[in-house]
Amino acid sequence: MHAMAKNLLVSTSGDEICANPGLTSTLLGRGLATIQKNQLVIADQDARYRKARDTYDRITDYGRERFFNPELLPKTGTQFNLFADELVSVLQPLIDQTIQLADTFRQLKELADEGYGKAYFALANIYKGGQGITENKKRCEYFNNLSFKWLLNNQVLDDPEICRDLGRISFDRWSKQEEDLDQSIFWYKKAAEQGDAEAQNHLGFMYEHFGHMYEFGLMGEEGFEQAAYWYRKAAEQGHRDAQFQLSCMYEAGKGVEQDDEPAICWLIKAANQGHASAQFYFGSKQEDYHNLKQALVSYRKAAEQGLAIAQYKLGTMYEHGLGIEKDLEQAVFWYRQAADREDADAQHNLAWLYEFGLGVEQDETQAAFWYCSAAKKGHARAQTALGYMYSCGWGLEQNEKLAVYWYQKAAEQNFATAQFLLASCYQNGECVEQDDEKAIFWFRKAAEQGDTLSKQVLEKFGIKG
């Protein structure tokens, strides 16, 4: 009112009191119109933000889940030489979600450009990469800092989403400053006590995994009890990740009495809401009970969301014809999806199929590439296979020293085949100094695991396996 009052006619002592009614009403009208226009703009921004943020939270589980680099999406007009088009189409749900995230990014970017502060947090997360756009570290850091300042300045709004986002930023910064963990739990608890389900879920996670570091020094079971308490609060509101976590608590008897019935109940609730890990574990349980068709359905649902371990399991079911007709092309397809997400088991199996030309054109170079990818992650079978390919010069330049190197890596993981091959190298002096003592040592290690060839060699040495 003060700003408008300066523009109104003011009477002075001795003057005839008169104001132009038309001018006064016009000025008041302009002021009210401006206020109404601003309110409409804010209401529009609020609605656009809510729609974008709800989409973002739903698809990414509140920003905690990463999917895949959008550069991996099929490009328009892409020709698939290895796979039939229908194999690619099974990823359509994941592709659709990535497209939605790209659209959400554009909406949030527009809001941020308009100075709408709540958009900064989600925008910073998207710039981390894998959520609709490629990674941009500089923009991520920029919007992270902008978001933190805006959230702190607006904490007085007592908005649980603001408190939750402050908790998340503090948690992400914890590795740099110890006090940020205390700040994180402060903000998460504030949001959780206002009924924010995601804050309750994350508070449960913090108590479960870092309970001993909190202000009350909660250790072991006490921390687990608090975790179960907050997971339940969120789960009862329909938070799918909290439902999954509560299921795990019941299955393990952490913070609650071990009970399979509520464990499976909460697992099903989470799976029915599309929680990928819940779908995978439900599939795993079905497989344990030899209900392979149901397992296949659950694995597929999780695989189509981009969960690497589910993609690997789906590949194995197609490879071996478990619950479905054997289909090596489908196996290659799903192994490739998981391998691109750095799943070592899938990388090994994909390499094996390339090596022998099963479901795909034989390609020893591709086989060596994927064996190497898995071997670097410590996969013993892949290390052994890679060593053998170096020994034979298949798919890469022959190098017996590297063959021995990889045999050694796998042998130290107690993999019998690698132990036998390494022992053979020492026995024959292949790229290592001939050493019967080391040869016997590794033959014995392999024989202890039932390796028949190692036992036969030991017998020639006059040693019982």
Side-chain angles (χ1 to χ4, degrees):
M1 290 295 296
H2 177 68
M4 287 192 292
K6 290 196 300 184
N7 297 318
L8 297 178
L9 292 174
V10 179
S11 64
T12 58
S13 179
D15 288 339
E16 184 179 354
I17 300 176
C18 96
N20 186 322
L23 178 61
T24 303
S25 61
T26 299
L27 291 170
L28 282 169
R30 286 177 183 173
L32 290 171
T34 301
I35 292 171
Q36 289 173 345
K37 184 178 180 180
N38 289 339
Q39 288 174 337
L40 287 172
V41 169
I42 293 170
D44 174 67
Q45 288 176 328
D46 286 341
R48 286 156 56 205
Y49 169 74
R50 192 71 271 147
K51 181 180 178 181
R53 182 65 187 263
D54 287 347
T55 300
Y56 174 77
D57 287 345
R58 172 178 54 80
I59 294 176
T60 68
D61 274 336
Y62 299 88
R64 285 179 282 104
E65 293 293 330
R66 297 288 180 269
F67 289 90
F68 58 87
N69 190 322
E71 291 177 354
L72 296 176
L73 285 173
K75 305 295 189 297
T76 304
T78 298
Q79 296 297 316
F80 296 93
N81 297 323
L82 299 179
F83 314 117
D85 288 343
E86 59 266 23
L87 295 181
V88 178
S89 70
V90 298
L91 289 180
Q92 197 61 49
L94 188 56
I95 293 169
D96 290 343
Q97 287 183 336
T98 305
I99 292 170
Q100 286 182 64
L101 284 172
D103 183 57
T104 298
F105 164 75
R106 287 189 288 271
Q107 295 175 46
L108 291 169
K109 182 67 169 59
E110 287 177 6
L111 286 164
D113 290 342
E114 294 167 14
Y116 190 83
K118 292 187 80 172
Y120 300 152
F121 173 81
L123 196 58
N125 268 4
I126 294 176
Y127 272 122
K128 288 179 183 176
Q131 294 186 338
I133 66 168
T134 52
E135 180 186 37
N136 188 324
K137 290 183 179 179
K138 287 186 178 179
R139 299 296 285 170
C140 174
E141 187 64 25
Y142 171 77
F143 279 107
N144 253 329
N145 292 332
L146 206 59
S147 174
F148 188 60
K149 291 175 183 177
W150 187 91
L151 291 168
L152 277 179
N153 289 337
N154 289 274
Q155 60 181 285
V156 292
L157 296 177
D158 208 28
D159 182 334
E161 189 174 68
I162 288 177
C163 296
R164 181 223 302 165
D165 289 348
L166 278 168
R168 173 63 184 273
I169 289 176
S170 299
F171 184 76
D172 289 344
R173 291 183 173 187
W174 167 39
S175 60
K176 298 178 182 177
Q177 297 184 89
E178 190 69 29
E179 58 267 23
D180 282 329
L181 185 63
D182 294 332
Q183 284 294 306
S184 181
I185 193 170
F186 170 81
W187 290 115
Y188 271 130
K189 185 172 284 188
K190 194 169 183 179
E193 288 171 349
Q194 294 180 68
D196 186 275
E198 168 58 12
Q200 292 168 340
N201 177 60
H202 202 97
L203 194 56
F205 171 84
M206 295 176 80
Y207 273 116
E208 180 183 3
H209 297 282
F210 309 108
H212 62 287
M213 302 179 71
Y214 290 167
E215 61 229 347
F216 301 116
L218 295 177
M219 298 287 288
E221 193 59 30
E222 275 189 290
F224 296 151
E225 287 173 4
Q226 282 292 308
Y229 171 82
W230 288 111
Y231 283 146
R232 184 182 297 280
K233 285 281 188 183
E236 288 172 349
Q237 292 193 66
H239 193 288
R240 62 185 186 179
D241 188 58
Q243 291 171 341
F244 172 67
Q245 299 298 341
L246 187 58
S247 168
C248 295
M249 299 290 278
Y250 271 111
E251 184 169 357
K254 290 170 63 176
V256 291
E257 186 176 345
Q258 199 283 331
D259 194 332
D260 290 338
E261 187 174 342
I264 195 67
C265 176
W266 286 114
L267 184 67
I268 291 172
K269 284 179 181 290
N272 285 340
Q273 288 202 80
H275 190 283
S277 294
Q279 291 168 336
F280 168 75
Y281 280 106
F282 183 71
S284 180
K285 288 182 180 296
Q286 294 300 310
E287 188 175 3
D288 289 342
Y289 288 112
H290 305 289
N291 189 351
L292 298 180
K293 288 187 178 180
Q294 183 60 56
L296 185 80
V297 169
S298 295
Y299 287 149
R300 181 181 293 279
K301 287 180 179 179
E304 289 175 353
Q305 292 194 65
L307 188 66
I309 191 171
Q311 293 170 333
Y312 160 71
K313 287 295 294 184
L314 193 56
T316 63
M317 297 192 84
Y318 274 113
E319 181 182 358
H320 301 291
L322 302 173
I324 196 168
E325 186 177 348
K326 186 174 180 178
D327 188 331
L328 292 177
E329 286 189 0
Q330 283 273 9
V332 170
F333 175 79
W334 286 111
Y335 283 149
R336 181 60 185 261
Q337 298 304 314
D340 283 338
R341 289 162 182 77
E342 304 297 329
D343 186 282
D345 288 324
Q347 290 172 337
H348 168 268
N349 288 15
L350 181 61
W352 191 83
L353 293 175
Y354 268 117
E355 182 181 357
F356 295 99
L358 300 171
V360 69
E361 186 177 347
Q362 188 176 24
D363 189 330
E364 290 176 352
T365 301
Q366 279 289 305
F369 172 81
W370 288 113
Y371 278 140
C372 187
S373 297
K376 288 177 179 178
K377 295 179 179 66
H379 195 286
R381 285 183 179 273
Q383 290 170 338
T384 306
L386 183 61
Y388 196 74
M389 295 193 84
Y390 269 119
S391 176
C392 300
W394 293 346
L396 33 70
E397 188 176 347
Q398 188 175 23
N399 189 324
E400 291 185 346
K401 286 186 177 179
L402 282 175
V404 171
Y405 170 82
W406 287 112
Y407 291 154
Q408 180 86 30
K409 286 283 188 183
E412 289 171 355
Q413 294 193 67
N414 218 25
F415 188 58
T417 303
Q419 291 169 338
F420 170 80
L421 291 169
L422 182 60
S424 298
C425 289
Y426 278 114
Q427 182 186 21
N428 301 321
E430 294 176 358
C431 217
V432 288
E433 187 177 345
Q434 199 275 337
D435 190 326
D436 285 345
E437 187 176 335
K438 287 185 178 180
I440 291 170
F441 173 81
W442 288 113
F443 278 134
R444 191 189 296 276
K445 284 284 187 182
E448 287 171 358
Q449 298 185 73
D451 186 77
T452 306
L453 290 175
S454 294
K455 289 180 180 179
Q456 291 173 0
V457 173
L458 286 173
E459 288 174 2
K460 291 179 181 179
F461 279 104
I463 301 171
K464 289 185 179 181

